[in-house]
Amino acid sequence: MKSFWNSRSIIPITLSFLFLFTYNFTAVFAAPARHLCHPVQRDALLKFKNEFEIKKPCLDGISPKTESWTNNKDCCYWDGVTCDAKSWVVIELDLSRSCLHGRLHSNSSLFKVKNLVTLDLSYNYFSGHISSSIGNLSHLTILDLSKNYFSGWIPSSVGNLSHLTFLDLSNNDFFGELPFFGSMNQLNILNVDFNTFSGNFPHSLLNLGMLSDLYLSHNQFTGPLPSNMSSLYNLEYFQAWDNSFSGTLSSSLFTIPPLTYVDLRDNQLKGTLEFGNISSPSKLISLDLGNNNFIGPIPTSISKLVNLQDLDLSRLNTQGPVDFSIFSNLKSLQLLNLSHLNTTTSIDLNAILHSNLKSIFSLDLSGNHVSTTNKSSGANHHSQMISQLYLSGCGITEFPELLRTQNKLTNLDISNNRIKGHVPGWLWTLPTLKFVDLSYNMFIGFERSTKLEQSSFSKPSMQYLVGSNNNFTGKIPSFICDMRSLITLDLSSNNLNGSIPHCMGNLKSTLSFLNLRQNQLSGDLPNNTFSRLRSLDVGHNQLTGKLPRSLIHFSTLEVLNVESNRINDTFPVWLSSLKQLQVLVLRSNEFHGPIRQASFPMLRIIDISDNHFNGTLPSNYFVSWSAMSSLKANEDRSGEKYMGDFFGYYHDSMVLTNKGIEMELVRILKIYTALDFSGNKLEGEIPRSIGTLKELHVLNLSYNAFTHHIPSSMGNLTALESLDVSKNKLSGEIPQELGNLSYLAYMNFSHNQLVGLVPGGTQFRRQKCSSFEENSGLFGPALDEVCREIHTPPPQQHETLKPEDENEEVLSWVAAAIGFGPGIVFGFTIGYILFSCKQEWFMNAFGRKEGRSSTTMLKSC
């Protein structure tokens, strides 16, 4: 009976619990239905999504966040969208790394979402100007537009966003002066790095007392830095490197109590260095003032910066002795750059390695006179173990024996010295060595090491070995094949002979850059497959045979240069399967036969000149060469300007004929395009599809047997700077469309059968008369202006190929800089040979098989 009662009493209690659970279940799960994001904001965001395209493939395979934005889902639960927990209005929009492509127009529906507190559009492909409508988002505290393609001036309305604490505009194409930011009194972080902003330091920034991080680097700011930088009393990080700031550096900057990081390298600051009255211990950890115009001694007060870990005073013009004891208090110092001090002091490397700088792991003394007097093994026993040592251009004549015990050494740069003899064998026994630069010395060989041979030497750590511009002779050392981690190998400009060793196949899984140009190597190219090779340069040797078909498996290859060898093969149409190939140089070999049609989507430079190619080119031959048609189609976002490795240690080079002059490009700009088919036996019409290559800068079809008319489609080559179609059999008129090519600085139509009116464009009126000679039917005001009298020589048989004995003037040029700007996309500054304490300039003349003016762009060490 009792148990019955208990069971009866449980029933209503259970029902009550079920009722309460059901009620609460409904309340919990029905909550989103009652608190949907506002329809106006949802519709605005959907419209905003449709204003842009998705650039595919997306970064790192990430799915664009806007793919989750659909009508049947509450917008507060869309990827990248955050709503307020109470009002359910959209307050945060994070569309970073969403591969959005397009322009942010002034009427964009984004500006209707007015309650936004956070807006992050970083790492996308937005372009165009920033609309002043962004000032309508008055609640913003975080605005991140970095790493896009925005351009133009920053609208003044941005300065009215008074609640901002974080503003990042870095890595875009903004220009002009910064607007007034003085109203942003809550701003903590301002980053405008990597744009082209100009003008003086924005003095309105001095009103931002809350500012802790200020980044102005890699712009075009000019003028002096304010003398009252101490107004930014909360400043911790100040980075303004790579600008044109001038004047003196006020010591008030170093009196800011929380200041920990200062980077002002690569400016034009001058005067003496002063750190002011540093009474309390400074918090400064990093101080980079290198590559400015400072003059005078290193201030002794630097010894009070006791927390320094990174110090760069490179190119400080000390004009006298340096007392290295002032650094003895900097016991936390890890990176020390004292290169190019213009000091009368001979720096004793051994003394530094035995000093109180026990924490230092990177030391750069390049450009000074450094004594590396060899010490006994006992004296070296307690020397400081260093990781990175840079001694380029230090007047060293013997390999520093004191390095033998540096078992923690990873990076060694001993280039640009006068070291003779052999590279010591013990160098390769250093257990952590990764980076070695021996270039521009007088080494003649590599010393054999009994220890290496006895231990079946393997050097797994070595990644970067440069021995270019020495006097190395004999065969390529076989021990290099045991460097199984090698990424870059450069032995160019030596006297190495013999064949390329087959054992280099041991490096197939790591080697990315192989440069053996300017040696005396012979034999065939090996058939090894290098799965990661990005650049292969074996130009200017004596190689024979055919191109190895194994190249078809080099899926990462970007640069292939076999110029000036004796390779006998047909046109390698099979290379079109290499989708990353950007530079192909086959010039001055024995290639022959027709140039079969191929698609090279990434190719930007092709030079097949001075071979024996023949036949015709179909009219649509260049239709699929998309990289020369539009640079944006294959845009490189790495930030690197030149072809080479990511770290800037290695740069590709090549010889190129531009504007009638043969030059060596010691660095190849990534936006440079050129096509050189000259010096062959090509005939028939010039393909009309040549007009699709709208990004082409240099076009050379000279010394062939092309016939018929010059295609009018060449008028579409709006970036063209150099055009050479001389020594062909072209007839008809010069297309009038060429007169509209405003960047066309050089042209040569000579030795053809052209007739009719010469175009009247400005560029045509600036040419030499020789550019039109041997075309008796040409006439017009432009021709009259450049040729006072047209000399018509007696009829004679003209060769279509370059004559072997043609004498032309040989010019020696020095290109001091390569510059690209609006219009002049590729320019060379001509000057006298320049010397500096770090860099040497040199010149090599490259003769052509056929007579043509030649010059070499001189290389910096």
Side-chain angles (χ1 to χ4, degrees):
M1 190 71 179
K2 185 176 181 180
S3 62
F4 173 78
W5 167 253
N6 288 339
S7 63
R8 291 286 300 270
S9 63
I10 289 173
I11 292 174
I13 296 173
T14 304
L15 290 173
S16 298
F17 274 112
L18 286 172
F19 175 79
L20 289 171
F21 176 78
T22 305
Y23 178 84
N24 283 291
F25 181 90
T26 305
V28 169
F29 286 90
R34 296 204 307 268
H35 298 283
L36 293 171
C37 75
H38 296 212
V40 174
Q41 293 190 327
R42 178 200 62 207
D43 294 343
L45 290 176
L46 285 173
K47 288 181 180 178
F48 176 67
K49 169 188 174 180
N50 294 326
E51 291 172 11
F52 304 97
E53 298 177 359
I54 302 295
K55 185 177 177 65
K56 294 184 177 180
C58 201
L59 293 169
D60 303 322
I62 300 173
S63 297
K65 295 175 183 177
T66 53
E67 286 186 353
S68 68
W69 291 17
T70 57
N71 246 328
N72 59 0
K73 188 176 180 181
D74 185 354
C75 75
C76 290
Y77 295 93
W78 290 348
D79 288 346
V81 177
T82 302
C83 295
D84 182 76
K86 295 181 179 179
S87 64
W88 292 93
V89 297
V90 177
I91 57 172
E92 294 184 11
L93 188 58
D94 180 2
L95 293 178
S96 60
R97 300 179 185 273
S98 293
C99 296
L100 298 177
H101 183 278
R103 291 176 174 266
L104 189 62
H105 295 288
S106 58
N107 61 348
S108 173
S109 56
L110 171 66
F111 303 123
K112 296 179 181 179
V113 190
K114 296 185 177 182
N115 296 96
L116 281 178
V117 175
T118 297
L119 177 59
D120 188 349
L121 301 179
S122 62
Y123 288 96
N124 281 289
Y125 298 86
F126 291 112
S127 59
H129 293 196
I130 298 295
S131 168
S132 60
S133 300
I134 201 166
N136 297 334
L137 305 178
S138 57
H139 298 284
L140 281 178
T141 61
I142 295 176
L143 177 58
D144 192 346
L145 304 179
S146 64
K147 297 174 180 63
N148 280 284
Y149 296 93
F150 289 119
S151 59
W153 291 64
I154 301 297
S156 58
S157 60
V158 172
N160 299 327
L161 300 175
S162 57
H163 297 292
L164 277 183
T165 61
F166 178 96
L167 176 59
D168 192 345
L169 305 174
S170 63
N171 293 85
N172 281 285
D173 298 315
F174 292 123
F175 57 80
E177 297 184 5
L178 288 176
F180 180 79
F181 283 161
S183 300
M184 297 181 180
N185 51 20
Q186 303 298 314
L187 196 64
N188 298 136
I189 298 174
L190 174 62
N191 190 347
V192 296
D193 284 352
F194 288 88
N195 285 282
T196 52
F197 288 118
S198 57
N200 291 336
F201 181 93
H203 281 263
S204 64
L205 298 181
L206 298 177
N207 298 328
L208 308 181
M210 299 295 291
L211 199 64
S212 63
D213 295 37
L214 177 58
Y215 304 101
L216 306 175
S217 300
H218 200 74
N219 281 286
Q220 298 174 7
F221 290 113
T222 56
L225 292 170
S227 59
N228 57 337
M229 288 291 293
S230 56
S231 299
L232 299 174
Y233 48 84
N234 281 308
L235 194 63
E236 298 179 25
Y237 290 81
F238 180 34
Q239 181 172 297
W241 57 270
D242 194 16
N243 280 284
S244 297
F245 285 119
S246 57
T248 58
L249 179 61
S250 172
S251 61
S252 70
L253 174 66
F254 301 100
T255 64
I256 300 174
L259 192 66
T260 57
Y261 184 102
V262 174
D263 192 345
L264 297 173
R265 57 196 157 94
D266 300 320
N267 278 283
Q268 299 173 23
L269 298 170
K270 62 181 181 179
T272 57
L273 272 180
E274 297 292 342
F275 297 124
N277 184 17
I278 305 173
S279 55
S280 58
S282 170
K283 293 184 179 180
L284 200 60
I285 292 175
S286 179
L287 176 60
D288 291 345
L289 300 176
N291 202 21
N292 278 281
N293 298 322
F294 292 118
I295 192 170
I298 300 173
T300 56
S301 56
I302 199 171
S303 61
K304 296 182 180 181
L305 305 177
V306 293
N307 289 308
L308 269 184
Q309 298 177 13
D310 179 358
L311 176 61
D312 182 357
L313 298 178
S314 59
R315 298 192 181 274
L316 170 61
N317 188 1
T318 59
Q319 293 187 324
V322 173
D323 181 8
F324 286 90
S325 65
I326 62 176
F327 301 115
S328 59
N329 286 341
L330 308 182
K331 296 183 178 3
S332 299
L333 204 58
Q334 298 177 13
L335 289 88
L336 178 59
N337 188 345
L338 298 177
S339 61
H340 302 278
L341 291 182
N342 190 25
T343 176
T344 58
T345 302
S346 179
I347 303 175
D348 188 343
L349 178 61
N350 190 68
I352 292 179
L353 295 179
H354 287 83
S355 68
N356 292 330
L357 302 177
K358 301 300 182 184
S359 299
I360 196 164
F361 75 83
S362 179
L363 177 64
D364 191 345
L365 300 176
S366 300
N368 297 298
H369 187 274
V370 176
S371 170
T372 59
T373 305
N374 296 337
K375 303 291 183 179
S376 66
S377 58
N380 280 332
H381 181 68
H382 299 292
S383 67
Q384 171 63 30
M385 292 294 105
I386 201 164
S387 178
Q388 301 173 4
L389 183 60
Y390 303 97
L391 300 173
S392 178
C394 293
I396 300 171
T397 57
E398 294 184 4
F399 206 97
E401 184 72 18
L402 54 82
L403 300 181
R404 183 192 283 264
T405 59
Q406 289 292 324
N407 291 328
K408 293 186 178 180
L409 194 64
T410 61
N411 291 35
L412 175 63
D413 183 353
I414 201 165
S415 62
N416 294 287
N417 284 289
R418 300 192 299 272
I419 307 175
K420 301 178 181 179
H422 289 75
V423 180
W426 56 258
L427 178 65
W428 316 114
T429 67
L430 299 179
T432 60
L433 197 62
K434 294 182 179 181
F435 172 102
V436 176
D437 192 345
L438 307 169
S439 62
Y440 294 96
N441 278 284
M442 293 180 277
F443 290 114
I444 60 173
F446 293 89
E447 185 180 85
R448 289 180 174 272
S449 172
T450 306
K451 181 178 178 181
L452 298 184
E453 295 170 355
Q454 291 175 349
S455 62
S456 300
F457 170 68
S458 178
K459 187 65 182 171
S461 64
M462 182 63 67
Q463 296 179 359
Y464 183 97
L465 175 57
V466 174
S468 60
N469 293 277
N470 279 281
N471 298 321
F472 288 123
T473 58
K475 296 183 178 181
I476 296 174
S478 59
F479 74 84
I480 290 176
C481 298
D482 294 321
M483 297 180 175
R484 302 298 179 96
S485 300
L486 204 60
I487 296 173
T488 298
L489 176 61
D490 186 353
L491 296 175
S492 61
S493 299
N494 281 286
N495 297 309
L496 297 169
N497 56 36
S499 60
I500 300 173
H502 287 277
C503 68
M504 290 190 69
N506 296 345
L507 314 178
K508 61 184 180 181
S509 60
T510 61
L511 196 64
S512 295
F513 301 91
L514 177 59
N515 191 341
L516 301 174
R517 69 184 285 122
Q518 293 275 3
N519 280 284
Q520 300 173 26
L521 299 172
S522 57
D524 296 353
L525 275 169
N527 252 315
N528 302 111
T529 297
F530 294 88
S531 59
R532 294 190 178 182
L533 200 66
R534 290 174 53 188
S535 176
L536 174 60
D537 189 345
V538 292
H540 296 275
N541 280 286
Q542 300 167 19
L543 298 172
T544 56
K546 296 184 176 183
L547 284 180
R549 293 320 189 248
S550 60
L551 286 171
I552 202 171
H553 301 298
F554 291 26
S555 59
T556 59
L557 195 65
E558 298 175 2
V559 177
L560 176 59
N561 190 341
V562 297
E563 64 181 315
S564 298
N565 279 284
R566 302 170 186 172
I567 298 174
N568 190 326
D569 204 349
T570 56
F571 183 72
V573 64
W574 41 272
L575 287 177
S576 61
S577 64
L578 302 180
K579 301 305 180 185
Q580 302 300 317
L581 191 63
Q582 300 178 44
V583 177
L584 176 60
V585 183
L586 308 179
R587 67 183 282 158
S588 300
N589 276 282
E590 298 175 11
F591 287 97
H592 57 272
I595 303 176
R596 295 169 54 195
Q597 186 147 13
S599 172
F600 292 100
M602 292 287 284
L603 201 64
R604 298 181 297 101
I605 297 176
I606 180 171
D607 187 346
I608 60 173
S609 62
D610 293 316
N611 280 285
H612 306 293
F613 292 117
N614 57 26
T616 61
L617 299 175
S619 181
N620 64 344
Y621 187 80
F622 299 106
V623 168
S624 300
W625 294 31
S626 54
M628 294 189 189
S629 303
S630 174
L631 285 177
K632 292 182 179 179
N634 300 286
E635 204 150 18
D636 180 4
R637 305 196 73 192
S638 67
E640 292 297 315
K641 292 182 179 180
Y642 303 101
M643 299 291 296
D645 67 4
F646 178 77
F647 302 103
Y649 292 142
Y650 173 82
H651 292 100
D652 293 294
S653 62
M654 64 175 290
V655 175
L656 180 77
T657 300
N658 179 38
K659 300 178 182 178
I661 303 296
E662 191 172 279
M663 305 176 183
E664 182 186 8
L665 276 65
V666 295
R667 295 187 181 188
I668 304 174
L669 279 153
K670 287 189 173 183
I671 58 173
Y672 186 62
T673 53
L675 188 152
D676 192 343
F677 282 14
S678 64
N680 285 287
K681 301 176 182 178
L682 300 174
E683 55 190 11
E685 293 188 50
I686 296 174
R688 295 180 183 178
S689 58
I690 196 79
T692 64
L693 308 182
K694 296 180 180 179
E695 297 290 346
L696 197 60
H697 301 143
V698 175
L699 175 58
N700 191 349
L701 302 175
S702 64
Y703 290 92
N704 278 288
F706 286 115
T707 56
H708 297 84
H709 293 60
I710 297 173
S712 59
S713 62
M714 279 191 183
N716 298 327
L717 305 181
T718 53
L720 198 63
E721 299 175 22
S722 176
L723 171 63
D724 193 345
V725 293
S726 63
K727 301 293 180 71
N728 280 284
K729 298 179 180 179
L730 297 168
S731 59
E733 298 185 355
I734 299 175
Q736 294 298 310
E737 292 84 352
L738 297 183
N740 299 323
L741 301 181
S742 56
Y743 301 149
L744 188 56
Y746 172 86
M747 59 191 83
N748 193 345
F749 300 96
S750 65
H751 298 275
N752 280 287
Q753 300 163 19
L754 299 170
V755 297
L757 180 67
V758 172
T762 303
Q763 302 294 0
F764 274 80
R765 297 176 184 272
R766 293 177 177 172
Q767 301 304 307
K768 296 180 180 179
C769 185
S770 58
S771 296
F772 305 98
E773 66 184 6
E774 298 295 335
N775 292 283
S776 58
L778 292 176
F779 65 88
L783 188 64
D784 294 340
E785 190 169 328
V786 299
C787 300
R788 293 183 178 180
E789 181 180 355
I790 301 176
H791 300 282
T792 305
Q796 59 183 358
Q797 185 71 27
H798 294 296
E799 297 291 335
T800 59
L801 299 180
K802 304 177 191 177
E804 290 288 343
D805 58 349
E806 181 180 358
N807 295 319
E808 297 187 14
E809 183 181 8
V810 178
L811 303 178
S812 294
W813 287 27
V814 178
I818 301 175
F820 269 69
I824 308 300
V825 186
F826 176 75
F828 291 90
T829 305
I830 309 303
Y832 292 98
I833 298 178
L834 304 179
F835 287 89
S836 71
C837 53
K838 180 178 176 73
Q839 299 187 355
E840 296 180 358
W841 296 77
F842 68 98
M843 179 175 69
N844 295 315
F846 287 83
R848 301 276 279 194
K849 292 191 299 184
E850 319 292 345
R852 188 189 286 182
S853 297
S854 71
T855 185
T856 298
M857 180 178 157
L858 305 185
K859 182 169 183 178
S860 164
C861 300

